Amino acid sequence: MSFRLRAVRAFVLLVGFFLMGGVLLSAMVVFDWLVITRLVTERAALMEGTAVTVTFLLAVAILRGMFAFLRAGRLRPVTDAVAVTPQNQPELWEQVRAAADVTGQRPPDELYLDAEVNAGVAEQSRLLGLLQGRRRMFLGLPLLAGLTVPQLRSVLVHEFGHYGNRDTRLGGITTRGRQALIHTVEAFQEGGTRLHYVIGVLYVGYARMFLRITQSAARHQELAADRMAARYAGRDVTAAALRMVPVLDGAHAHYMETYAAMGSALEALPPVGEVHGGFRRMLAARSGEQLAALRAGQRPPRPHPYDSHPPTAERIALIEQLPADDRPEQSTADLADEPAALTLVRDADRVFAELEARTSAPEAALLRRMSWDDLAMARAVADAEEWSGPLRLAVARTLRSSGPGTREEGADDGLPGLEEILDAFDRGLLWMEIADRMPKPYQAARLTGQSARNFIRPRVFAGIAGLIHLRLAESGHAAPDIAWSGQPGLILPEAWEKGMDEAIDAAVADTPDTAPLRTLLRASAQADASRTRRHSR
């Protein structure tokens, strides 16, 4: 079937979706008329009120769906993105207009920068998409931070290619129709009543049929948009952009969870503009392989059965099969040397700050702002306290049950300090009593012997490590490390970096040996004393 016939079929199905509501309303009117005028028996009269009420409520649900369908193409106000004009962002608009021109499309009337790793064009359409209206484009700042300028050109051409109508004026019907049906089905799902659900079943069934029938046409348009992007931006650039987008998506998810949310438990935020802007720093510090590894550790999104996008690997393979163009073949290194698309954005720091203000909850204004280093230090201390808490509590309970003992000086919270815990280990209490008092899930509580020790050992190790981090942070020996290329934490003195893990391993062995750890602690204390004497002179 030709693309023209597919588009006509999609239009007919969309008309049928709307007419279905009219047919249902007509059937209800006829039913009510028959009940009221033709079938008024004594028994039917008792049901007359119920029948009319039910059909009235069903009619309201149907009208709601028809109204939602007609309004599906309307553009809503944008509150979570930054509007940019040709006057304040001329370089970015120049790229957008050039991409629209090469696809034979009109440029958008509005351009917004948002916080997604995505790009898209939305259009206010009428009469099931036959009449075009106001056009709006969205570009994600994280996307601009991770793509090069040529790769951005490819993405822009692809997005406008969705609306390409060179084959037929009905070319955009499939894209607009699928969006309208999804919007309508969501409206029924939000109805909340049993009648909305009953009517919604009919509409959902019809919508699934439409999405299934038009899926091939939608994928045809997707691949056609890929070919158009390759012709304009280059085959290698387009393939590289397709590879990069899912990598950026995984990297951005890691950034938001690890860095942007670092201060959530501390009721603190990074510096103004850095909630989203810090993503640039992580991208600059990591190689392509490191960024790809972040996505490899995440669960891939579950593909939607009616997704209009073919698998990315398939799209890349089809692009690479295209004949070579006049452009010189570019290696991965050549593509990476191109300027970042974010360089097209003037005063990017201000834009990131404005986006942060638009995407943050109102209560975020009450949170304190901290530098990245201060955030890393505060989070490391909070984590160390969390790691060490269960061990300190278990040791405290063990010591109380063993009778009165000495308390470590300075342990004003009632919990033992590091030296007191090591003393308990030396007394043989670790595997006799302390391990039994460490929190564990119900299933692990049944473990005994070596299996129980192997389960608890990492938790004891973490508790000791947490106490060491707290000791070094309080004494000024540990420095914060935001570690854009790794994991935020603390930079420890060289002696601790080299020997801490082995010393803790010895302390939590089946036969605990705290001597290596005590040696490190004495060396650290001597360094403190030496430094104090130098300052006092």
Side-chain angles (χ1 to χ4, degrees):
M1 183 182 293
S2 68
F3 181 73
R4 184 186 299 271
L5 289 178
R6 289 194 187 101
V8 171
R9 181 179 63 181
F11 178 71
V12 171
L13 289 173
L14 281 176
V15 173
F17 184 82
F18 185 77
L19 290 179
M20 183 174 66
V23 171
L24 290 172
L25 288 175
S26 300
M28 291 177 187
V29 170
V30 172
F31 175 78
D32 285 346
W33 180 72
L34 290 174
V35 169
I36 295 173
T37 63
R38 297 286 185 90
L39 301 178
V40 181
T41 63
E42 182 177 349
R43 183 177 180 182
L46 298 176
M47 301 176 59
E48 178 181 330
T50 302
V52 172
T53 300
V54 170
T55 53
F56 173 78
L57 294 176
L58 288 172
V60 170
I62 293 171
L63 289 172
R64 184 175 185 270
M66 296 173 69
F67 185 68
F69 185 61
L70 292 175
R71 290 177 58 88
R74 305 188 76 174
L75 297 179
R76 300 178 180 179
V78 178
T79 59
D80 58 352
V82 178
V84 295
T85 65
Q87 290 72 35
N88 59 29
Q89 297 294 345
E91 291 82 6
L92 190 58
W93 268 93
E94 181 182 354
Q95 296 292 334
V96 172
R97 284 171 170 163
D101 182 67
V102 78
T103 58
Q105 292 293 299
R106 56 188 176 88
D109 302 287
E110 304 168 6
L111 177 60
Y112 288 88
L113 300 179
D114 61 21
E116 303 295 327
V117 184
N118 202 2
V121 178
E123 186 177 286
Q124 182 162 305
S125 56
R126 293 166 291 171
L127 291 181
L128 306 181
L130 284 176
L131 298 181
Q132 300 175 353
R134 193 169 187 80
R135 184 169 284 180
R136 178 182 291 167
M137 184 164 209
F138 293 89
L139 287 175
L141 281 175
L143 186 73
L144 299 183
L147 295 184
T148 64
V149 172
Q151 289 170 350
L152 175 64
R153 294 186 191 126
S154 171
V155 170
L156 293 174
V157 172
H158 175 92
E159 293 304 323
F160 284 111
H162 287 160
Y163 292 86
N165 55 11
R166 290 180 175 178
D167 293 332
T168 169
R169 180 162 178 76
L170 298 176
I173 286 293
T174 301
T175 299
R176 299 184 188 102
R178 291 170 70 90
Q179 295 172 350
L181 286 186
I182 292 172
H183 175 82
T184 305
V185 170
E186 289 175 348
F188 274 110
Q189 291 175 341
E190 295 170 359
T193 68
R194 188 74 176 175
L195 294 178
H196 276 91
Y197 175 78
V198 172
I199 296 298
V201 169
L202 297 176
Y203 279 93
V204 168
Y206 194 103
R208 285 176 176 170
M209 178 192 70
F210 178 87
L211 293 174
R212 184 174 60 253
I213 291 176
T214 60
Q215 188 173 32
S216 62
R219 293 197 170 192
H220 171 89
Q221 287 181 287
E222 199 72 36
L223 297 176
D226 285 343
R227 292 192 295 271
M228 188 176 294
R231 284 196 301 270
Y232 174 67
R235 181 188 61 184
D236 297 336
V237 169
T238 301
L242 276 176
R243 288 191 184 94
M244 193 63 187
V245 170
V247 170
L248 287 176
D249 192 42
H252 187 252
H254 173 79
Y255 166 78
M256 295 301 295
E257 179 180 350
T258 304
Y259 293 93
M262 186 184 301
S264 57
L266 309 171
E267 297 187 347
L269 288 174
V272 174
E274 288 292 290
V275 170
H276 300 296
F279 185 54
R280 299 171 290 176
R281 309 184 193 284
M282 194 187 82
L283 291 180
R286 302 191 185 217
S287 65
E289 291 77 10
Q290 288 175 314
L291 294 174
L294 295 177
R295 181 171 176 81
Q298 298 172 355
R299 178 178 297 180
R302 190 174 184 178
H304 194 281
Y306 306 114
D307 191 0
S308 63
H309 292 74
T312 301
E314 177 184 332
R315 295 170 63 189
I316 293 173
L318 291 174
I319 289 173
E320 291 178 335
Q321 292 173 10
L322 295 174
D325 47 35
D326 297 334
R327 299 175 178 85
E329 188 171 344
Q330 292 181 290
S331 65
T332 304
D334 294 333
L335 294 172
D337 287 339
E338 296 286 350
L342 193 61
T343 59
L344 299 171
V345 179
R346 293 186 177 183
D347 197 1
D349 291 338
R350 178 191 60 79
V351 177
F352 274 111
E354 189 173 349
L355 178 63
E356 181 181 310
R358 288 180 171 271
T359 56
S360 299
E363 52 268 22
L366 304 176
L367 302 181
R368 54 178 173 158
R369 296 282 182 170
M370 301 175 68
S371 69
W372 283 115
D373 282 344
D374 288 345
L375 266 179
M377 174 62 81
R379 182 56 185 265
V381 169
D383 287 344
E385 290 174 344
E386 182 179 352
W387 300 339
S388 61
L391 176 61
R392 298 180 72 192
L393 185 60
V395 173
R397 289 173 175 171
T398 299
L399 295 179
R400 282 200 298 269
S401 67
S402 300
T406 59
R407 304 296 305 163
E408 181 182 344
E409 192 173 329
D412 53 3
D413 56 1
L415 296 177
L418 180 55
E419 279 78 5
E420 192 171 359
I421 291 174
L422 296 182
D423 290 341
F425 286 8
D426 288 339
R427 291 166 56 190
L429 297 177
L430 173 56
W431 301 119
M432 292 176 58
E433 298 186 46
I434 296 174
D436 291 337
R437 290 181 168 86
M438 291 287 290
K440 57 183 76 68
Y442 172 75
Q443 296 83 350
R446 301 179 179 180
L447 298 176
T448 59
Q450 192 63 39
S451 298
R453 294 184 183 185
N454 291 339
F455 181 85
I456 290 296
R457 202 185 314 274
R459 290 159 173 76
V460 179
F461 185 105
I464 296 295
L467 286 168
I468 293 171
H469 285 183
L470 289 173
R471 176 74 60 87
L472 296 176
E474 292 168 359
S475 63
H477 287 296
D481 183 15
I482 191 60
W484 294 112
S485 60
Q487 191 72 16
L490 296 176
I491 300 176
L492 304 182
E494 184 177 359
W496 284 100
E497 291 282 4
K498 290 182 178 180
M500 184 178 74
D501 286 355
E502 291 183 2
I504 299 178
D505 281 335
V508 299
D510 289 347
T511 303
D513 178 12
T514 65
L517 197 50
R518 292 182 187 275
T519 299
L520 287 173
L521 288 170
R522 281 195 299 269
S524 182
Q526 290 170 0
D528 282 343
S530 177
R531 185 173 59 178
T532 302
R533 285 195 298 270
R534 284 198 303 269
H535 286 309
S536 63
R537 290 175 183 174

